[in-house]
Amino acid sequence: MKIVGILVLLIASLCSAQTNIWTSCGAATDHITISSITITPNPPVKGGNFTVVAAGTLDEQITGGNITLTVKYDKFITVLKQTDDLCADGGCPISAGSFTKTISQALPSAAPAGSYSVHVTANDQNNEELACVNVALTIASKSN
């Protein structure tokens, strides 16, 4: 389930739990169908912890691939763009089927409060798209 964990962590590392924060940008042929993502607290606060629960279905076994994450602050300023190997930590193969993944994460206190957009794509060992997700989110300032 490494692919699920990577997708959830990358999407969630900046998400808030607002309604309709994420949309699929993938095709009908995508191999992962994410049915839900919930994040608490709402919104995440910089310097604090948050928890993400994602559920969905993977329709093929994964033996390799990559994931690309692009994060933009205020829609235009790219603050992160990276591509990682899905199986870098020995998490493959990943079996097809239903999944639920829970991840808790700290949000760095250095992250500026404000609006972010996140674009995540994942491809399998055949370079076929596993999933594509766009996320619109807000990071809140820490209360005094």
Side-chain angles (χ1 to χ4, degrees), residues 41-85:
N42 174 20
V45 177
K46 63 186 199 163
N49 293 322
F50 64 97
T51 300
V52 178
V53 179
T57 305
L58 174 61
D59 74 359
E60 69 171 0
Q61 179 174 321
I62 303 300
T63 59
N66 63 60
I67 186 164
T68 300
L69 169 73
T70 304
V71 179
K72 293 187 177 187
Y73 176 70
D74 201 25
K75 297 183 184 180
F76 301 105
I77 302 167
T78 300
V79 295
L80 177 66
K81 183 168 185 167
Q82 70 183 48
T83 299
D84 293 310
D85 182 344

Side-chain angles (χ1 to χ4, degrees), residues 20-139:
N20 300 321
I21 61 163
W22 67 279
T23 59
S24 174
C25 49
T29 56
D30 280 4
H31 295 289
I32 294 177
T33 302
I34 299 172
S35 57
S36 68
I37 298 174
T38 57
I39 299 132
T40 53
N42 174 20
V45 177
K46 63 186 199 163
N49 293 322
F50 64 97
T51 300
V52 178
V53 179
T57 305
L58 174 61
D59 74 359
E60 69 171 0
Q61 179 174 321
I62 303 300
T63 59
N66 63 60
I67 186 164
T68 300
L69 169 73
T70 304
V71 179
K72 293 187 177 187
Y73 176 70
D74 201 25
K75 297 183 184 180
F76 301 105
I77 302 167
T78 300
V79 295
L80 177 66
K81 183 168 185 167
Q82 70 183 48
T83 299
D84 293 310
D85 182 344
L86 286 176
C87 301
D89 296 328
C92 291
I94 304 161
S95 299
S98 296
F99 68 84
T100 300
K101 183 71 176 176
T102 301
I103 296 175
S104 294
Q105 180 70 31
L107 187 60
S109 58
S115 298
Y116 288 80
S117 59
V118 180
H119 179 76
V120 180
T121 57
N123 294 322
D124 67 9
Q125 61 275 0
N126 301 314
N127 204 33
E128 293 179 6
E129 189 169 272
L130 293 169
C132 178
V133 178
N134 286 319
V135 180
L137 56 101
T138 299
I139 293 177

